Amino acid sequence: MNAHPIHEEDLDLYALGALDADERRAVDSHLASCPECAAKLAEAHGRAAALAFAAPRVEPSPAVKMRLMQQIRAAGAAAAPAPLREPQRPRGLISSWWAGVLVPAGIALAIASVVLWHENRRLDSQLASLHAAIARQQSQLQENRDMAQLAGAADTMVIPLLPQPGMPKGQARVVCSSHM
């Protein structure tokens, strides 16, 4: 932008209506021959429009509104300036500044939704297998508790078996309880 007679900040001031008449004419004449600056002005208009939504809305009092309307009528009657010519912007859904933001954001949200949906299905499957493992472990724990309770009962008897001739060497015991 160094070779241009206007600065990029001038485009923001132009979009906000903060340039004096001479500066505005200089920007207008440059915009007629520079599509790059015309595109940057369109972006500046978008930023200026976004600023309007950043502040909370405040309703003016009726007296202020009436005074403003009188000033506008008086200024319009005194001199009707030539309408400001803005650069022609291409029309259409994709060329709008908001569509340039919303379309990629929508695509990103759709992709993120699909990825998260797949991750959720994987985690649901993993959770189901963990629940099954917990159920198996709880069943085994209950069985072990029952066996420990049976072995510790007062009426439980442990009878060792003696090795018999012709049988493999080892030890064997029989546990007997009236609760069985």
Side-chain angles (χ1 to χ4, degrees):
M1 190 102 186
N2 293 343
H4 291 82
I6 60 173
H7 297 285
E8 204 165 329
E9 296 83 19
D10 292 338
L11 297 174
D12 288 321
L13 294 172
Y14 184 101
L16 292 170
L19 293 179
D20 65 24
D22 292 336
E23 292 170 323
R24 192 164 189 84
R25 276 193 295 276
V27 171
D28 282 334
S29 66
H30 176 71
L31 290 173
S33 63
C34 183
E36 180 183 344
C37 287
K40 288 185 179 187
L41 178 62
E43 292 172 4
H45 278 290
R47 286 189 299 274
L51 283 175
F53 294 110
R57 182 182 171 127
V58 176
E59 291 293 328
S61 69
V64 169
K65 186 175 180 180
M66 187 173 68
R67 205 171 43 232
L68 177 64
M69 296 306 288
Q70 288 173 350
Q71 289 175 353
I72 291 172
R73 284 188 204 105
L84 300 175
R85 191 178 135 254
E86 290 192 30
Q88 292 295 321
R89 286 183 261 164
R91 300 289 179 205
L93 181 64
I94 301 300
S95 65
S96 300
W97 71 270
W98 57 268
V101 172
L102 292 180
V103 169
I107 291 170
L109 284 174
I111 290 170
S113 295
V114 169
V115 168
L116 289 174
W117 179 72
H118 282 293
E119 182 66 12
N120 190 33
R121 288 186 63 200
R122 186 187 68 76
L123 290 173
D124 281 342
S125 173
Q126 188 178 8
L127 183 62
S129 69
L130 290 173
H131 279 295
I134 288 172
R136 283 191 308 272
Q137 288 176 352
Q138 284 177 338
S139 173
Q140 188 177 16
L141 177 63
Q142 186 60 42
E143 188 177 315
N144 290 342
R145 282 182 181 159
D146 291 343
M147 292 297 241
Q149 184 180 9
L150 185 64
D155 64 339
T156 302
M157 293 188 314
V158 178
I159 303 167
L161 298 177
L162 296 174
Q164 298 295 317
M167 298 298 285
K169 293 199 186 235
Q171 294 180 359
R173 286 182 248 151
V174 173
V175 177
C176 183
S177 174
S178 63
H179 288 94
M180 290 182 140

